[in-house]
Amino acid sequence: MANAFGVPTWVDLSTTDLKAATEFYTDLFGWEAEVSPEPETGGYTTFRLDGRAVAGAGPIEGGEHQPALWTTYVEVHDAEQTARDVAEAGGSVLLEPFDVHPNGKMAVFLDQAGGMFAVWQPGSAGGGQLFRVPGTLAWNELTTRDTDGAKEFYGAVFGWDAHDLPFGSVTYTEWQVAGRSIAGMMPMEGDDWPADLPPHWMVYWHVADTDLAARRVEELGGVVCVPPTDIPPGRFAICEDPQGGVFAVIRVGAERLAG
């Protein structure tokens, strides 16, 4: 993805059962799995489509009670400076910037409301290598109760502009960099959101057929949390893998893919 700095370009899964999760996602999306040979990586797996990297997965680090989850990474020039910017903007550092072999440098943060995200400073490896086709990253979306605070926080840390749009009874926000929409934000308003659900970043995957993908999720032992539903960008569903990792699938209209 050209001009990727300040843009979410990578996601990876932390899971309780890496082998089972690998089987689930490779079957669902047609990915190939490449396991890192370095022992210290714990079997970190790069998922590829047509030989090009699209996502990663590794074992949960931080205790057996940690839930399986997908993490969104924003590409940055300087992870150390980003850590300072996060703290200054009211967020916190969960994992200080550290080197990942020759591949790059990463860090993990909480935003001002507690939403977790990560950053990636490329070395020999950048983010995803393939987009806009089924089985690749389609969209990253922050879901939060503090949209005003998020606008200030992410604007200060990444320079994102917030473009608000009507979406039913709520206001949806598209994050933009240089006029290009690169992610979204959904407010957690109303009774549909459990009180104990924390703010979080949702990962959306391109699929050719949302209904077919949802059925396949269930056949593979996952759960469809929100059934296939039409929204302005296309048809989406929210799913949960067998280990509890939540993600979304979406069939995006051709006119959006061309944009």
Side-chain angles (χ1 to χ4, degrees), residues 13 15-26 220 241-243:
L13 173 71
T15 182
T16 55
D17 189 334
L18 183 55
K19 181 177 182 295
T22 297
E23 292 173 354
F24 174 86
Y25 286 102
T26 53
L220 293 169
D241 68 32
Q243 289 72 48

Side-chain angles (χ1 to χ4, degrees), residues 105-200:
K105 182 176 287 189
M106 66 168 285
V108 183
F109 306 110
L110 296 179
D111 66 21
Q112 88 298 335
M116 192 188 80
F117 66 98
V119 298
W120 180 253
Q121 177 185 328
S124 61
Q129 298 172 331
L130 185 65
F131 298 90
R132 296 179 179 267
V133 297
T136 65
L137 182 64
W139 192 242
N140 304 77
E141 181 179 271
L142 173 65
T143 307
T144 183
R145 296 178 180 84
D146 182 16
T147 55
D148 288 340
K151 290 175 182 178
E152 293 184 11
F153 176 85
Y154 289 99
V157 174
F158 296 125
W160 289 353
D161 296 317
H163 178 58
D164 290 338
L165 301 166
F167 187 82
S169 61
V170 301
T171 298
Y172 189 84
T173 300
E174 289 190 357
W175 300 111
Q176 297 187 338
V177 171
R180 179 168 68 100
S181 294
I182 52 89
M185 177 169 64
M186 173 67 78
M188 298 171 74
E189 297 179 1
D191 298 331
D192 293 336
W193 304 97
D196 60 349
L197 182 66
H200 58 278

